[in-house]
Amino acid sequence: MKAEESLLVRKIQEGTVIDHIPAGRALDVLKILGLTGKEGYTIAVVMNVPSRKLGRKDIVKVEGRFLSPEEVDAIALIAPTATINIVKGFSVVLKRRVEVPAVVEGLLRCPNPNCVTNSPREPLRPRFELISREPLRFRCSYCGDELSGEDIVKQLVSGHAQKGEGARR
């Protein structure tokens, strides 16, 4: 790549870089992380940049913020191609791909209003099992209803997902 074609976004001293986000999903990642810009973090969002792997991709850099395992699991559900880079002292000290978990417990809501997990009298956390990575699909362990990748994005971005312990592998 020629120098004039390279992307010029300032390096961060310490924080998280989420790379290889499917094009158009960076703002969804920010919503999942609860980042509005008012928190005081320096945030760089780069959208629709060329990528050899994806064709086009988004990148999110957050200075001074590291992700919890639950946040990484949520990102994996909407951006399964993403990589998480931990930066310290202007250098990447850890780089890993997100993994779509085989089981998601307590993070999503079952769409079936009659599912036992939607009953206020039952203390059950919703539990979903992965049935397909491409296209992304999960099945409720209790009633069998399915969630598509788009259903998952809508829940996580709108805030209608469960607040719980997150995904399990």
Coordinates of all heavy atoms in Angstrom, one line a residue, residues 30-128:
L30 N -20.4 0.5 19.1 CA -20.4 1.6 20.1 C -21.6 1.5 21.0 O -21.5 1.7 22.3 CB -20.3 3.0 19.4 CG -19.0 3.3 18.8 CD1 -19.1 4.7 18.1 CD2 -17.8 3.3 19.7
K31 N -22.8 1.2 20.5 CA -24.0 1.1 21.3 C -23.9 0.0 22.3 O -24.3 0.1 23.4 CB -25.2 0.9 20.4 CG -25.6 2.2 19.7 CD -26.9 2.0 18.9 CE -27.3 3.3 18.2 NZ -28.5 3.1 17.3
I32 N -23.4 -1.2 21.8 CA -23.2 -2.3 22.7 C -22.3 -2.0 23.9 O -22.6 -2.4 25.0 CB -22.7 -3.5 21.9 CG1 -23.8 -4.1 21.1 CG2 -22.1 -4.6 22.9 CD1 -23.4 -5.2 20.2
L33 N -21.3 -1.2 23.6 CA -20.3 -0.8 24.6 C -20.8 0.3 25.5 O -20.2 0.7 26.5 CB -19.0 -0.5 24.0 CG -18.3 -1.6 23.3 CD1 -17.0 -1.1 22.6 CD2 -18.0 -2.8 24.2
G34 N -22.0 0.9 25.1 CA -22.5 2.0 25.8 C -21.7 3.3 25.7 O -21.7 4.2 26.5
L35 N -21.0 3.4 24.6 CA -20.2 4.6 24.3 C -20.9 5.6 23.5 O -21.3 5.3 22.4 CB -18.9 4.2 23.6 CG -18.0 3.3 24.4 CD1 -16.8 2.8 23.6 CD2 -17.5 4.0 25.7
T36 N -21.1 6.8 24.0 CA -21.8 7.9 23.4 C -20.8 9.1 23.0 O -21.2 10.0 22.3 CB -22.9 8.5 24.2 OG1 -22.3 9.1 25.4 CG2 -23.9 7.4 24.6
G37 N -19.6 9.0 23.6 CA -18.7 10.2 23.4 C -18.7 11.1 24.6 O -17.8 11.9 24.7
K38 N -19.6 10.9 25.5 CA -19.7 11.8 26.7 C -18.9 11.2 27.9 O -18.8 11.9 28.9 CB -21.2 11.9 27.1 CG -22.0 12.6 26.1 CD -23.5 12.6 26.4 CE -24.3 13.2 25.3 NZ -25.7 13.1 25.6
E39 N -18.4 10.0 27.7 CA -17.7 9.3 28.8 C -16.3 9.9 29.1 O -15.7 9.6 30.1 CB -17.6 7.8 28.6 CG -18.9 7.1 28.4 CD -19.5 7.3 27.0 OE1 -18.8 7.7 26.1 OE2 -20.7 7.0 26.9
G40 N -15.7 10.6 28.1 CA -14.4 11.2 28.2 C -13.3 10.4 27.5 O -12.2 10.8 27.5
Y41 N -13.6 9.2 27.0 CA -12.7 8.5 26.2 C -12.4 9.1 24.9 O -13.3 9.6 24.3 CB -13.1 7.0 26.0 CG -13.4 6.2 27.2 CD1 -14.7 5.8 27.6 CD2 -12.3 5.9 28.1 CE1 -14.9 5.1 28.7 CE2 -12.6 5.1 29.2 CZ -13.9 4.8 29.6 OH -14.1 4.0 30.7
T42 N -11.2 9.0 24.4 CA -10.9 9.4 23.0 C -11.3 8.2 22.1 O -10.8 7.1 22.4 CB -9.4 9.7 22.8 OG1 -9.1 10.8 23.6 CG2 -9.2 10.0 21.3
I43 N -12.2 8.4 21.2 CA -12.7 7.3 20.4 C -12.5 7.6 18.9 O -12.9 8.7 18.5 CB -14.3 7.1 20.6 CG1 -14.5 6.8 22.1 CG2 -14.8 6.0 19.7 CD1 -16.0 6.8 22.5
A44 N -12.0 6.7 18.2 CA -11.9 6.8 16.7 C -12.7 5.8 16.1 O -12.6 4.6 16.4 CB -10.4 6.7 16.3
V45 N -13.6 6.2 15.1 CA -14.4 5.3 14.4 C -14.1 5.5 12.9 O -14.2 6.6 12.4 CB -15.9 5.5 14.6 CG1 -16.8 4.6 13.8 CG2 -16.2 5.4 16.1
V46 N -13.7 4.4 12.3 CA -13.3 4.4 10.8 C -14.3 3.4 10.2 O -14.3 2.3 10.6 CB -11.8 4.1 10.6 CG1 -11.5 4.2 9.1 CG2 -10.9 4.9 11.5
M47 N -15.0 3.9 9.2 CA -16.0 3.0 8.5 C -15.7 2.9 7.0 O -15.3 3.8 6.4 CB -17.4 3.6 8.8 CG -17.7 3.7 10.3 SD -19.3 4.4 10.6 CE -20.4 3.1 10.0
N48 N -16.1 1.7 6.6 CA -16.0 1.4 5.1 C -14.6 1.5 4.5 O -14.5 2.1 3.4 CB -17.0 2.2 4.4 CG -18.4 1.7 4.6 OD1 -18.7 0.5 4.5 ND2 -19.3 2.6 5.0
V49 N -13.6 1.1 5.2 CA -12.2 1.2 4.7 C -11.9 -0.2 4.0 O -12.5 -1.2 4.3 CB -11.2 1.4 5.8 CG1 -11.4 2.8 6.4 CG2 -11.2 0.4 6.8
P50 N -11.1 -0.1 3.0 CA -10.7 -1.3 2.2 C -10.1 -2.4 3.2 O -9.3 -2.1 4.1 CB -9.7 -0.9 1.2 CG -9.9 0.6 1.1 CD -10.4 1.1 2.4
S51 N -10.5 -3.6 2.9 CA -9.9 -4.8 3.7 C -9.7 -5.9 2.7 O -10.6 -6.3 2.0 CB -10.9 -5.2 4.8 OG -10.6 -6.4 5.3
R52 N -8.5 -6.5 2.8 CA -8.2 -7.7 2.0 C -9.1 -8.9 2.4 O -9.6 -9.6 1.5 CB -6.8 -8.1 2.1 CG -5.8 -7.2 1.3 CD -4.4 -7.8 1.3 NE -3.9 -7.9 2.7 CZ -3.1 -7.0 3.3 NH1 -2.9 -5.9 2.7 NH2 -2.7 -7.2 4.5
K53 N -9.4 -9.0 3.7 CA -10.2 -10.1 4.2 C -11.7 -10.0 4.0 O -12.3 -10.9 3.6 CB -9.9 -10.2 5.7 CG -9.9 -11.6 6.2 CD -9.1 -11.8 7.5 CE -9.8 -11.2 8.7 NZ -9.2 -11.6 10.0
L54 N -12.2 -8.8 4.2 CA -13.6 -8.6 4.2 C -14.1 -7.8 3.0 O -15.3 -7.6 2.8 CB -14.1 -7.8 5.5 CG -13.8 -8.5 6.8 CD1 -14.1 -7.6 7.9 CD2 -14.5 -9.8 6.9
G55 N -13.2 -7.2 2.2 CA -13.7 -6.3 1.1 C -13.7 -4.9 1.7 O -13.0 -4.0 1.3
R56 N -14.6 -4.6 2.7 CA -14.7 -3.4 3.4 C -14.9 -3.7 4.9 O -15.5 -4.7 5.2 CB -15.8 -2.5 2.9 CG -15.7 -2.4 1.4 CD -16.2 -1.1 0.7 NE -15.8 0.2 0.9 CZ -14.7 0.8 0.7 NH1 -13.6 0.1 0.2 NH2 -14.5 2.1 0.8
K57 N -14.4 -2.8 5.7 CA -14.5 -3.1 7.2 C -14.6 -1.8 7.9 O -14.3 -0.7 7.4 CB -13.3 -3.9 7.7 CG -12.0 -3.0 7.7 CD -10.8 -3.8 8.2 CE -9.5 -3.0 8.2 NZ -8.4 -3.7 8.7
D58 N -14.9 -1.9 9.2 CA -14.9 -0.8 10.2 C -13.9 -1.1 11.2 O -13.6 -2.2 11.5 CB -16.3 -0.6 10.8 CG -17.4 -0.2 9.9 OD1 -17.1 0.1 8.7 OD2 -18.6 -0.1 10.3
I59 N -13.4 0.0 11.9 CA -12.5 -0.1 13.0 C -13.0 0.9 14.1 O -13.4 2.0 13.8 CB -11.1 0.3 12.6 CG1 -10.6 -0.5 11.4 CG2 -10.1 0.2 13.7 CD1 -9.3 0.0 10.7
V60 N -12.9 0.4 15.3 CA -13.2 1.3 16.5 C -12.0 1.2 17.4 O -11.5 0.2 17.8 CB -14.4 0.8 17.3 CG1 -14.6 1.6 18.5 CG2 -15.7 0.9 16.4
K61 N -11.5 2.4 17.8 CA -10.4 2.6 18.7 C -10.9 3.3 19.9 O -11.5 4.4 19.8 CB -9.2 3.3 18.1 CG -8.5 2.6 17.0 CD -7.3 3.5 16.6 CE -6.5 2.8 15.5 NZ -5.3 3.5 15.2
V62 N -10.6 2.8 21.1 CA -11.1 3.5 22.4 C -9.9 3.6 23.3 O -9.4 2.6 23.8 CB -12.2 2.7 23.1 CG1 -12.7 3.5 24.2 CG2 -13.4 2.4 22.1
E63 N -9.4 4.8 23.5 CA -8.3 5.0 24.4 C -8.7 5.0 25.8 O -9.8 5.6 26.2 CB -7.7 6.4 24.0 CG -6.5 6.7 24.9 CD -5.3 7.1 24.1 OE1 -5.4 7.7 23.0 OE2 -4.2 6.9 24.6
G64 N -8.0 4.2 26.6 CA -8.2 4.2 28.1 C -9.4 3.3 28.5 O -9.8 3.3 29.6
R65 N -9.8 2.4 27.6 CA -10.9 1.5 27.9 C -10.6 0.1 27.5 O -10.1 -0.1 26.4 CB -12.2 2.0 27.2 CG -13.4 1.1 27.4 CD -14.4 1.5 28.5 NE -15.7 1.2 28.4 CZ -16.3 0.1 28.0 NH1 -15.6 -1.0 27.7 NH2 -17.6 -0.1 28.1
F66 N -10.8 -0.9 28.4 CA -10.6 -2.3 28.0 C -12.0 -3.0 28.2 O -12.8 -2.5 28.9 CB -9.6 -2.9 29.0 CG -8.2 -2.3 28.8 CD1 -7.8 -1.3 29.7 CD2 -7.4 -2.6 27.8 CE1 -6.6 -0.7 29.6 CE2 -6.2 -2.0 27.6 CZ -5.8 -1.1 28.5
L67 N -12.2 -4.0 27.4 CA -13.5 -4.7 27.4 C -13.6 -5.8 28.4 O -12.7 -6.6 28.6 CB -13.7 -5.2 25.9 CG -13.6 -4.2 24.8 CD1 -13.9 -4.9 23.5 CD2 -14.4 -3.0 25.0
S68 N -14.8 -6.0 28.9 CA -15.1 -7.1 29.7 C -15.4 -8.4 28.8 O -15.7 -8.2 27.6 CB -16.4 -6.9 30.6 OG -17.5 -6.9 29.7
P69 N -15.3 -9.6 29.4 CA -15.6 -10.8 28.6 C -17.0 -10.7 28.0 O -17.2 -11.2 26.9 CB -15.4 -11.9 29.6 CG -14.4 -11.4 30.6 CD -14.7 -9.9 30.7
E70 N -17.9 -10.2 28.8 CA -19.3 -10.1 28.3 C -19.4 -9.2 27.1 O -20.2 -9.4 26.2 CB -20.3 -9.6 29.4 CG -20.4 -10.6 30.6 CD -19.3 -10.6 31.6 OE1 -18.5 -9.6 31.6 OE2 -19.1 -11.6 32.3
E71 N -18.7 -8.1 27.1 CA -18.7 -7.2 26.0 C -18.1 -7.8 24.8 O -18.6 -7.7 23.6 CB -17.9 -5.9 26.3 CG -18.7 -5.0 27.3 CD -17.9 -3.8 27.9 OE1 -16.6 -4.0 28.0 OE2 -18.5 -2.8 28.1
V72 N -17.0 -8.6 24.9 CA -16.4 -9.3 23.8 C -17.3 -10.3 23.2 O -17.5 -10.4 22.0 CB -15.0 -9.9 24.3 CG1 -14.5 -10.8 23.1 CG2 -14.0 -8.9 24.6
D73 N -18.1 -11.0 24.1 CA -19.1 -12.0 23.6 C -20.2 -11.3 22.8 O -20.6 -11.8 21.8 CB -19.7 -12.8 24.8 CG -18.7 -13.8 25.4 OD1 -17.8 -14.2 24.7 OD2 -18.9 -14.2 26.5
A74 N -20.6 -10.1 23.3 CA -21.7 -9.4 22.6 C -21.2 -8.9 21.2 O -21.9 -9.0 20.2 CB -22.2 -8.2 23.4
I75 N -19.9 -8.5 21.2 CA -19.4 -8.1 19.9 C -19.3 -9.2 18.9 O -19.6 -9.1 17.8 CB -18.0 -7.4 20.1 CG1 -18.2 -6.0 20.8 CG2 -17.2 -7.2 18.8 CD1 -16.9 -5.4 21.3
A76 N -18.9 -10.4 19.5 CA -18.8 -11.6 18.6 C -20.1 -11.9 18.0 O -20.2 -12.5 16.9 CB -18.3 -12.8 19.4
L77 N -21.2 -11.6 18.6 CA -22.5 -12.0 18.1 C -22.9 -11.0 17.0 O -23.7 -11.4 16.1 CB -23.6 -11.9 19.2 CG -23.5 -13.0 20.3 CD1 -24.5 -12.7 21.4 CD2 -23.6 -14.4 19.7
I78 N -22.4 -9.8 16.9 CA -22.8 -8.9 15.8 C -21.7 -8.7 14.8 O -21.9 -8.2 13.7 CB -23.3 -7.5 16.3 CG1 -22.2 -6.7 17.0 CG2 -24.5 -7.7 17.3 CD1 -22.5 -5.2 17.0
A79 N -20.4 -9.0 15.2 CA -19.3 -8.9 14.4 C -18.4 -10.1 14.5 O -17.3 -10.0 15.1 CB -18.5 -7.6 14.7
P80 N -18.8 -11.2 14.0 CA -18.0 -12.5 14.3 C -16.6 -12.5 13.6 O -15.8 -13.4 13.9 CB -18.9 -13.6 13.7 CG -19.9 -12.9 12.9 CD -20.0 -11.5 13.3
T81 N -16.3 -11.5 12.7 CA -15.0 -11.5 12.1 C -14.1 -10.5 12.8 O -12.9 -10.4 12.5 CB -15.2 -11.0 10.6 OG1 -15.9 -9.7 10.7 CG2 -15.9 -12.0 9.8
A82 N -14.5 -9.9 13.9 CA -13.7 -8.9 14.6 C -12.5 -9.5 15.3 O -12.5 -10.6 15.7 CB -14.6 -8.2 15.6
T83 N -11.5 -8.6 15.4 CA -10.4 -8.9 16.3 C -10.3 -7.9 17.3 O -10.6 -6.7 17.1 CB -9.0 -9.0 15.5 OG1 -8.9 -7.8 14.8 CG2 -9.0 -10.1 14.5
I84 N -9.8 -8.3 18.5 CA -9.7 -7.3 19.6 C -8.2 -7.2 19.9 O -7.5 -8.2 20.1 CB -10.4 -7.9 20.9 CG1 -11.8 -8.3 20.7 CG2 -10.2 -6.9 22.1 CD1 -12.7 -7.1 20.4
N85 N -7.7 -6.0 19.8 CA -6.3 -5.7 20.1 C -6.2 -4.9 21.4 O -6.8 -3.8 21.5 CB -5.7 -4.9 18.9 CG -5.8 -5.6 17.6 OD1 -5.3 -6.7 17.5 ND2 -6.5 -5.1 16.7
I86 N -5.4 -5.3 22.3 CA -5.2 -4.6 23.6 C -3.9 -3.9 23.4 O -2.8 -4.5 23.0 CB -5.1 -5.6 24.8 CG1 -6.3 -6.4 24.9 CG2 -4.8 -4.8 26.0 CD1 -7.6 -5.7 25.0
V87 N -3.9 -2.6 23.6 CA -2.7 -1.7 23.4 C -2.2 -1.1 24.7 O -3.0 -0.6 25.5 CB -3.1 -0.5 22.4 CG1 -1.9 0.4 22.2 CG2 -3.6 -1.1 21.1
K88 N -0.9 -1.3 24.9 CA -0.3 -0.6 26.1 C 1.0 -0.1 25.6 O 1.8 -0.7 24.9 CB -0.1 -1.7 27.2 CG -1.4 -2.1 27.8 CD -1.2 -3.0 29.0 CE -2.6 -3.4 29.5 NZ -2.5 -4.3 30.6
G89 N 1.3 1.1 26.0 CA 2.6 1.8 25.6 C 2.7 1.9 24.1 O 3.8 1.7 23.5
F90 N 1.6 2.2 23.4 CA 1.5 2.4 22.0 C 1.8 1.1 21.2 O 1.9 1.1 20.0 CB 2.5 3.5 21.5 CG 2.1 4.8 21.9 CD1 2.8 5.5 22.9 CD2 1.0 5.5 21.3 CE1 2.4 6.7 23.4 CE2 0.7 6.8 21.7 CZ 1.4 7.4 22.8
S91 N 1.9 -0.1 21.9 CA 2.1 -1.3 21.2 C 1.0 -2.3 21.5 O 0.4 -2.4 22.6 CB 3.4 -2.0 21.7 OG 4.5 -1.2 21.3
V92 N 0.7 -3.2 20.5 CA -0.3 -4.2 20.7 C 0.3 -5.3 21.5 O 1.3 -5.9 21.2 CB -0.8 -4.8 19.3 CG1 -1.8 -6.0 19.6 CG2 -1.5 -3.7 18.5
V93 N -0.3 -5.5 22.7 CA 0.3 -6.6 23.6 C -0.5 -7.9 23.6 O -0.1 -8.9 24.0 CB 0.4 -6.1 25.1 CG1 1.4 -4.9 25.2 CG2 -1.0 -5.7 25.6
L94 N -1.8 -7.8 23.0 CA -2.6 -9.0 22.9 C -3.5 -8.8 21.7 O -4.1 -7.7 21.6 CB -3.4 -9.2 24.2 CG -4.4 -10.4 24.1 CD1 -3.6 -11.7 24.0 CD2 -5.3 -10.4 25.3
K95 N -3.6 -9.8 20.8 CA -4.5 -9.7 19.7 C -5.2 -11.0 19.6 O -4.6 -12.1 19.7 CB -3.7 -9.4 18.4 CG -4.6 -9.4 17.2 CD -3.7 -9.0 16.0 CE -4.6 -8.8 14.8 NZ -3.9 -8.2 13.6
R96 N -6.5 -11.0 19.6 CA -7.3 -12.2 19.4 C -8.6 -12.0 18.7 O -9.1 -10.9 18.7 CB -7.6 -12.8 20.8 CG -8.6 -12.2 21.6 CD -8.9 -13.0 22.9 NE -10.0 -12.5 23.6 CZ -11.2 -13.0 23.6 NH1 -11.5 -14.1 22.8 NH2 -12.2 -12.5 24.3
R97 N -8.9 -13.0 18.0 CA -10.2 -13.0 17.2 C -11.3 -13.3 18.2 O -11.2 -14.0 19.2 CB -10.3 -14.1 16.2 CG -9.3 -13.9 15.0 CD -9.4 -15.1 14.1 NE -8.4 -14.9 13.1 CZ -8.7 -14.8 11.8 NH1 -10.0 -14.9 11.4 NH2 -7.8 -14.6 10.9
V98 N -12.5 -12.6 18.0 CA -13.6 -13.0 18.8 C -14.1 -14.3 18.4 O -13.9 -14.8 17.2 CB -14.8 -11.9 18.7 CG1 -14.3 -10.6 19.2 CG2 -15.3 -11.8 17.3
E99 N -14.8 -15.0 19.3 CA -15.4 -16.3 18.9 C -16.9 -16.3 19.2 O -17.3 -15.9 20.3 CB -14.7 -17.4 19.8 CG -13.3 -17.6 19.5 CD -12.7 -18.7 20.4 OE1 -13.4 -19.7 20.8 OE2 -11.5 -18.5 20.8
V100 N -17.6 -16.8 18.3 CA -19.1 -16.9 18.5 C -19.2 -18.0 19.5 O -18.8 -19.2 19.3 CB -19.9 -17.2 17.2 CG1 -21.3 -17.4 17.5 CG2 -19.7 -16.0 16.3
P101 N -19.8 -17.8 20.7 CA -19.9 -18.8 21.7 C -20.9 -19.9 21.3 O -21.9 -19.6 20.6 CB -20.4 -18.1 22.9 CG -21.0 -16.8 22.4 CD -20.4 -16.5 21.1
A102 N -20.7 -21.1 21.8 CA -21.6 -22.2 21.5 C -22.9 -22.1 22.3 O -24.0 -22.6 21.9 CB -20.9 -23.6 21.8
V103 N -22.8 -21.5 23.4 CA -24.0 -21.2 24.3 C -24.0 -19.8 24.8 O -22.9 -19.3 25.2 CB -24.0 -22.2 25.5 CG1 -25.1 -21.9 26.5 CG2 -24.0 -23.6 25.1
V104 N -25.1 -19.1 24.7 CA -25.3 -17.8 25.2 C -26.3 -17.9 26.3 O -27.5 -18.3 26.1 CB -25.7 -16.8 24.1 CG1 -26.0 -15.4 24.7 CG2 -24.7 -16.7 23.0
E105 N -25.9 -17.4 27.5 CA -26.9 -17.5 28.6 C -27.0 -16.2 29.3 O -25.9 -15.6 29.7 CB -26.4 -18.6 29.6 CG -27.4 -18.9 30.7 CD -27.0 -20.1 31.5 OE1 -26.0 -20.8 31.2 OE2 -27.7 -20.4 32.5
G106 N -28.2 -15.7 29.5 CA -28.4 -14.4 30.2 C -28.1 -13.2 29.4 O -28.2 -12.1 29.9
L107 N -27.8 -13.3 28.1 CA -27.4 -12.1 27.3 C -28.6 -11.6 26.4 O -28.8 -10.5 26.1 CB -26.2 -12.3 26.5 CG -25.6 -11.2 25.7 CD1 -25.1 -10.1 26.7 CD2 -24.4 -11.7 24.9
L108 N -29.3 -12.6 25.9 CA -30.4 -12.3 25.0 C -31.8 -12.7 25.6 O -31.8 -13.5 26.5 CB -30.2 -13.1 23.7 CG -28.9 -12.9 22.9 CD1 -28.6 -13.9 21.9 CD2 -28.9 -11.5 22.3
R109 N -32.8 -12.2 25.0 CA -34.2 -12.6 25.4 C -34.8 -13.5 24.3 O -34.6 -13.4 23.1 CB -35.1 -11.3 25.3 CG -35.0 -10.5 26.5 CD -36.0 -9.3 26.3 NE -37.4 -9.9 26.2 CZ -38.3 -9.6 27.1 NH1 -38.1 -8.8 28.1 NH2 -39.5 -10.2 27.0
C110 N -35.6 -14.4 24.8 CA -36.3 -15.3 23.9 C -37.4 -14.5 23.3 O -38.2 -13.8 24.0 CB -36.8 -16.5 24.6 SG -37.7 -17.7 23.5
P111 N -37.6 -14.6 21.9 CA -38.7 -13.9 21.3 C -40.1 -14.5 21.5 O -41.1 -13.8 21.2 CB -38.3 -14.0 19.8 CG -37.5 -15.3 19.7 CD -36.8 -15.4 21.0
N112 N -40.1 -15.7 22.1 CA -41.4 -16.3 22.3 C -42.0 -15.8 23.6 O -41.5 -16.1 24.7 CB -41.2 -17.8 22.4 CG -42.5 -18.6 22.7 OD1 -43.6 -18.0 23.0 ND2 -42.4 -19.9 22.7
P113 N -43.1 -15.0 23.6 CA -43.7 -14.5 24.8 C -44.1 -15.5 25.8 O -44.2 -15.3 27.0 CB -44.8 -13.6 24.3 CG -45.1 -14.0 22.9 CD -43.9 -14.7 22.4
N114 N -44.4 -16.8 25.3 CA -44.8 -17.8 26.2 C -43.7 -18.7 26.7 O -43.9 -19.7 27.5 CB -45.8 -18.8 25.4 CG -47.1 -18.0 25.0 OD1 -47.6 -17.2 25.8 ND2 -47.6 -18.2 23.8
C115 N -42.5 -18.4 26.3 CA -41.3 -19.1 26.9 C -41.2 -18.9 28.4 O -41.5 -17.8 28.9 CB -40.0 -18.6 26.2 SG -38.5 -19.5 26.7
V116 N -40.8 -20.0 29.0 CA -40.7 -20.0 30.5 C -39.8 -18.9 31.0 O -39.9 -18.3 32.1 CB -40.4 -21.4 31.0 CG1 -39.0 -21.8 30.6 CG2 -40.5 -21.4 32.5
T117 N -38.8 -18.5 30.1 CA -37.8 -17.5 30.5 C -38.4 -16.1 30.6 O -37.8 -15.2 31.1 CB -36.5 -17.5 29.6 OG1 -36.9 -17.2 28.3 CG2 -35.8 -18.9 29.7
N118 N -39.5 -15.9 29.9 CA -40.2 -14.6 29.9 C -41.3 -14.5 31.0 O -41.9 -13.5 31.1 CB -40.8 -14.4 28.5 CG -39.8 -14.0 27.5 OD1 -38.8 -13.3 27.8 ND2 -39.9 -14.6 26.3
S119 N -41.4 -15.5 31.8 CA -42.4 -15.5 32.9 C -41.7 -14.8 34.1 O -40.7 -15.3 34.6 CB -42.8 -16.9 33.3 OG -43.6 -16.9 34.4
P120 N -42.4 -13.8 34.7 CA -41.8 -13.1 35.8 C -41.7 -14.1 37.1 O -40.9 -13.8 38.0 CB -42.7 -11.9 36.1 CG -43.9 -12.1 35.3 CD -43.6 -13.1 34.2
R121 N -42.5 -15.1 37.1 CA -42.5 -16.1 38.2 C -41.4 -17.1 38.2 O -41.2 -17.8 39.1 CB -43.9 -16.8 38.3 CG -45.0 -15.8 38.5 CD -46.3 -16.6 38.7 NE -46.6 -17.6 37.6 CZ -47.4 -17.3 36.6 NH1 -48.1 -16.2 36.5 NH2 -47.6 -18.2 35.7
E122 N -40.7 -17.2 37.0 CA -39.7 -18.2 36.9 C -38.3 -17.5 36.9 O -38.1 -16.6 36.1 CB -39.8 -18.9 35.5 CG -41.1 -19.8 35.4 CD -41.1 -20.9 36.4 OE1 -40.0 -21.4 36.8 OE2 -42.2 -21.4 36.7
P123 N -37.4 -18.0 37.8 CA -36.1 -17.4 37.9 C -35.1 -17.9 36.9 O -33.9 -18.0 37.2 CB -35.7 -17.7 39.3 CG -36.3 -19.0 39.6 CD -37.6 -19.0 38.8
L124 N -35.5 -18.3 35.7 CA -34.6 -18.8 34.7 C -34.0 -17.8 33.8 O -34.7 -16.9 33.3 CB -35.4 -19.8 33.8 CG -35.8 -21.1 34.4 CD1 -36.7 -21.9 33.4 CD2 -34.6 -22.0 34.8
R125 N -32.7 -17.8 33.6 CA -32.1 -17.0 32.6 C -32.2 -17.6 31.2 O -32.1 -18.8 31.0 CB -30.6 -16.8 32.9 CG -30.2 -16.0 34.1 CD -28.8 -15.7 34.2 NE -27.9 -16.9 33.9 CZ -27.3 -17.6 34.8 NH1 -27.4 -17.3 36.0 NH2 -26.6 -18.7 34.4
P126 N -32.5 -16.7 30.2 CA -32.6 -17.3 28.8 C -31.3 -18.0 28.4 O -30.2 -17.5 28.8 CB -32.9 -16.1 28.0 CG -33.4 -15.1 28.9 CD -32.8 -15.3 30.2
R127 N -31.4 -19.1 27.7 CA -30.2 -19.8 27.3 C -30.4 -20.2 25.8 O -31.5 -20.8 25.5 CB -30.1 -21.1 28.2 CG -28.9 -21.9 27.9 CD -28.8 -23.1 28.9 NE -27.5 -23.7 28.8 CZ -27.2 -24.7 27.9 NH1 -28.1 -25.1 27.0 NH2 -26.0 -25.3 28.0
F128 N -29.4 -19.9 25.0 CA -29.5 -20.2 23.6 C -28.3 -21.0 23.2 O -27.2 -20.8 23.7 CB -29.5 -18.9 22.8 CG -30.8 -18.1 23.0 CD1 -30.9 -17.2 24.0 CD2 -31.9 -18.3 22.1 CE1 -32.1 -16.5 24.2 CE2 -33.1 -17.6 22.3 CZ -33.1 -16.7 23.4

